[in-house]
Amino acid sequence: MSNVFDSGLVAATISRETLTVLSERLAKLSLFSSDFSNEVKKPRDTINVAIASDTGDTVTNPTNFAPAPDTTLSKTSVVMNHLAQFFGISEVDLSNGHRLEQLVKINAQKFADAIWAAAITPITALNFQAATVTGVGSVTPDSADLKSLWGAVAKSDRKGLVLDAVNYANFIPQNSEGLMIAPGAYGFEQGIHYATTFPTGEANLTGFACSPDAIAIAAAAPALDSAVSQNFYSSEVITLEQLGLSIYSNVYGDSATRQVTASMEVMFGSSAAVTDGTMALIVSA
């Protein structure tokens, strides 16, 4: 194996492709309140995500310059689960750079979808006591449905919108005069995003508008015994800079299959946080 296996090449390919795929697919996680760290956690451990909900009054002509003591931080407890994507790397994969890239890319896409699914699990009408029921593809730039979605989360100055393919297509500019889908477009400061799936407990969910304090998400490093990791070919921390989210990649020899195996891993969890006036759902009739 040592004559044909370049662990540095494999690690570099995994880092590059994982960073590219996850940076794009998980950008919409910025819509939620988060606590991402490199702290080591085990399954069912918890992280308390702090959400600022109020603070002291602004003072005119102050005589006391001490900071206000009454900033309100609510804490939402998020339960951690170990998410891992494993895949084997054959000798053919190792000898063909393009094939290795495609192998890593398709596994990174699957892993990104699993993280997204975990993040939006709490999104149901029952949790948030609010839903906007629409027909298929009825959310358009000039529709009453779009106004209803915006109005449901209007109190937030960081509103975001996530749509399925049919509704998102309605916002793609048809000519140079169309409004680009950028942060701030149509009153959504956090932008309009596209998602391929909405695997939550809400049947027929095809999108949602939200403020950041609706959902609390957290991530950490999986626990790994040094007696195990010392036998790995490589261990890398891949950080999505725009989110501050770190993914943990390992490459090792699997004695059961007698081949090189790679993994993408993270401890991740999500929970409903502030549920009043922070979420509106698009549910296809």
Side-chain angles (χ1 to χ4, degrees), residues 205-266:
L205 182 68
T206 58
F208 59 88
C210 70
S211 64
D213 49 354
I215 299 291
I217 55 177
L224 182 62
D225 194 293
S226 60
V228 176
S229 62
Q230 68 181 0
N231 295 317
F232 287 178
Y233 296 129
S234 68
S235 292
E236 302 287 337
V237 180
I238 306 166
T239 300
L240 312 184
E241 296 295 343
Q242 80 276 26
L243 292 172
L245 173 63
S246 292
I247 303 300
Y248 304 84
S249 172
N250 301 302
V251 180
Y252 53 93
D254 184 353
S255 59
T257 61
R258 295 186 177 183
Q259 73 174 127
V260 176
T261 298
S263 70
M264 304 169 186
E265 306 177 43
V266 70

Side-chain angles (χ1 to χ4, degrees), residues 21 63 85 244 246 276:
V21 171
T63 57
Q85 183 76 20
S246 292
D276 181 23

Side-chain angles (χ1 to χ4, degrees), residues 55-96:
T55 189
D57 294 331
T58 300
V59 178
T60 301
N61 299 325
T63 57
N64 184 337
F65 295 89
D70 50 355
T71 295
T72 301
L73 287 175
S74 60
K75 292 186 177 181
T76 299
S77 181
V78 176
V79 178
M80 296 287 96
N81 291 297
H82 188 178
L83 302 183
Q85 183 76 20
F86 301 103
F87 55 99
I89 303 175
S90 69
E91 290 189 16
V92 176
D93 298 325
L94 292 170
S95 63
N96 187 318

Side-chain angles (χ1 to χ4, degrees), residues 131-164:
T132 299
V133 179
T134 74
V136 176
S138 66
V139 180
T140 64
D142 58 353
S143 68
D145 286 323
L146 181 65
K147 295 177 182 178
S148 296
L149 291 166
W150 187 92
V153 295
K155 69 178 184 180
S156 172
D157 60 359
R158 295 178 60 203
K159 296 174 287 294
L161 180 64
V162 183
L163 302 171
D164 69 344

